[in-house]
Amino acid sequence: MIEDWPATPDEAVALQLRMAPLVDPRPPAGFAPRTAAGLDVAYDEDRLAAAVVVLDIASLETVDQVVVPGVTDFPYVPGLFAFRELPALLGALERLTTSPDLLICDGQGVAHPRRFGLASHLGVVTGLPSIGVAKTPMGHYDPPGPERGDWTELTDGGDVVGRALRTQREIKPLFVSIGHRIDLDTACAQVLRLAPKYRQPETTRRADHLCREALVLDR
């Protein structure tokens, strides 16, 4: 599905519309992930660094990590971030020595105008269960209660597309949505499990640090 990569925003939108029906909102039978990979991309103008960090979910120890430098020539268009980031992220995933059970993306899943954000795109292309965990919402929500684990529905056009999830007491919520091969209850439970101390899951925190550090060292 990566061979005919769109060259224009119109082609990218058309591909999202074709692929969105492939999203499966159900986890695999007996789904009990032991490892989770955080994926993030840092930019310096047209240069980028794509990082994947795999954690043992029970201990939160890092078991594998890869960072891939690259460039992007796809324009910055809201809703089309996957087309700037996906090729480099797939390259990083291919270089891992382990195969993660779950992907945690710093971006949207089905909480997206065409129900096909970065987490959904990655999930469908790789076949792995994936979750979108975003810092800003694509949709409408009421603030959840103040306690860790409180949540409210995130809606768009009358559809429930995710949840505003409080990962730490009285800290701004994150916006969790299904990527692929997972349900919303399971997605939120995994995000909370991966975020015992901070707002962001440890997967995202470590991937963010790795890709930013790589850009600085590559200057």
Side-chain angles (χ1 to χ4, degrees):
M1 295 181 184
I2 198 74
E3 290 83 0
D4 298 323
W5 199 240
T8 68
D10 286 345
E11 291 175 358
V13 168
L15 181 60
Q16 287 179 331
L17 292 172
R18 289 198 304 272
M19 294 182 70
L22 300 177
V23 170
D24 187 351
R26 301 165 298 176
F31 184 58
R34 292 182 293 179
T35 58
L39 301 97
D40 200 9
V41 177
Y43 292 92
D44 182 4
E45 297 183 352
D46 62 341
R47 294 170 53 247
L48 62 80
V52 180
V53 178
V54 183
L55 304 188
D56 177 280
I57 294 175
S59 67
L60 297 183
E61 292 183 359
T62 298
V63 297
D64 199 0
Q65 63 181 37
V66 172
V67 61
V68 173
V71 295
T72 181
D73 57 6
F74 197 87
Y76 179 88
V77 180
L80 298 179
F81 294 142
F83 298 94
R84 292 169 62 84
E85 301 186 355
L86 193 80
L89 287 172
L90 288 174
L93 282 168
E94 289 172 358
R95 297 187 189 187
L96 290 174
T97 59
T98 58
S99 180
D101 299 322
L102 177 64
L103 304 181
I104 309 291
C105 300
D106 182 29
Q108 312 290 350
V110 300
H112 181 275
R114 289 168 291 281
R115 307 296 183 259
F116 201 71
L118 174 64
S120 295
H121 208 145
L122 270 167
V124 169
V125 169
T126 63
L128 294 171
S130 60
I131 303 171
V133 184
K135 295 182 285 293
T136 57
M138 274 195 173
H140 304 281
Y141 72 101
D142 293 324
E147 299 300 328
R148 170 177 159 86
D150 287 346
W151 60 269
T152 56
E153 292 180 341
L154 179 67
T155 62
D156 180 57
D159 297 330
V160 176
V161 295
R163 290 178 184 170
L165 177 67
R166 193 86 65 184
T167 54
Q168 299 299 325
R169 187 176 188 274
E170 295 184 344
I171 297 297
K172 291 181 180 179
L174 292 174
F175 302 93
V176 179
S177 60
I178 292 167
H180 181 56
R181 301 189 72 199
I182 201 161
D183 62 87
L184 200 46
D185 284 342
T186 302
C188 288
Q190 291 298 330
V191 170
L192 287 171
R193 193 175 180 189
L194 290 163
K197 295 182 180 179
Y198 302 102
R199 180 188 182 213
Q200 290 275 20
E202 283 300 308
T203 41
T204 301
R205 284 169 44 81
R206 295 184 203 181
D208 175 78
H209 176 77
L210 183 62
C211 62
R212 290 178 186 275
E213 183 180 60
L215 273 186
V216 171
L217 293 175
D218 194 42
R219 285 178 180 170

